[in-house]
Amino acid sequence: MPKYAAFLRGINVSGRRVKGPDLCAPFETVGAEEVTTFRASGNVIFTAPREPPAKLTARIEEALESSLGYDVAVFLRSAGEVREIAGHEPFPQADVEASDGKLQVSLLAKLPPPKGRQAVLGLGTAQDRLAFGARELYWLPSGGILESELDWKQIDTLVGLSTRRTMGTIEQLAKKHFAS
């Protein structure tokens, strides 16, 4: 059975606290196996019978809403996709090391069309560098996240719903759960 990571939006932020077992249960109700969480930020790793990713995502979102009582956006990635994200270097390593900020990965439902991508990249600056991956937006802030002057409302309008993790979290998750 294929192995997946589900990156959930809005888990354990803004007063919405969900413990690991309560987060795993909805996945088990849709037939997922070997369900486990990684950190307390809405990262769920599991195996599931092969089916179209959009269908699996929809079934997980329905189960989460039924269990938790509110909508939870799910950004599903296969084992290969997780490894690809973890190994991607959107910016020169020297720039990443020189930055006082942490490289961020916004997981997207889909890649925006070319004009949308161009508009997003046009919002980047020398202090807040942006780059796209397959279905990800990479952000290298020069300092703390709260110090950024990026227009995230505009970016969100252009890329659609997303959820963000540090590259370090993605790398650690990949190493622990998706080593090839």
Side-chain angles (χ1 to χ4, degrees):
M1 282 199 297
K3 193 169 188 179
Y4 299 94
F7 299 94
L8 312 181
R9 180 181 168 98
I11 297 296
N12 293 339
V13 296
S14 303
R16 289 182 172 173
R17 297 283 171 211
V18 184
K19 294 185 186 249
D22 296 329
L23 203 52
C24 291
F27 283 80
E28 293 165 349
T29 66
V30 299
E33 297 178 10
E34 302 175 40
V35 183
T36 188
T37 59
F38 182 79
R39 299 200 174 154
S41 56
N43 308 304
V44 181
I45 295 84
F46 63 98
T47 60
R50 204 171 293 282
E51 71 178 282
K55 183 177 178 182
L56 179 57
T57 298
R59 291 188 324 107
I60 293 168
E61 287 176 340
E62 289 171 16
L64 285 164
E65 182 178 7
S66 176
S67 176
L68 302 176
Y70 53 88
D71 288 335
V72 177
V74 174
F75 300 86
L76 190 66
R77 298 297 190 268
S78 68
E81 289 170 322
V82 171
R83 287 190 296 269
E84 197 172 295
I85 295 166
H88 187 64
E89 296 181 9
F91 307 105
Q93 189 60 34
D95 293 353
V96 174
E97 290 171 4
S99 174
D100 286 335
K102 293 182 178 182
L103 180 55
Q104 305 288 314
V105 182
S106 291
L107 298 129
L108 312 174
K110 62 182 181 179
L111 195 61
K115 278 190 172 186
R117 291 194 305 270
Q118 185 177 19
V120 169
L121 296 176
L123 296 170
T125 66
Q127 293 76 36
D128 288 296
R129 297 178 62 190
L130 299 169
F132 279 99
R135 285 186 294 152
E136 296 77 36
L137 174 62
Y138 296 89
W139 168 37
L140 182 59
S142 61
I145 291 174
L146 298 177
E147 298 166 12
S148 172
E149 294 183 13
L150 277 177
D151 185 349
W152 281 104
K153 286 186 179 187
Q154 180 66 25
I155 291 171
D156 290 344
T157 298
L158 293 164
V159 301
L161 205 54
S162 67
T163 190
R164 189 176 306 132
R165 305 292 187 273
T166 66
M167 179 61 99
T169 295
I170 302 283
E171 291 168 342
Q172 291 165 12
L173 184 146
K175 184 177 180 181
K176 182 173 181 177
H177 295 283
F178 296 99
S180 44

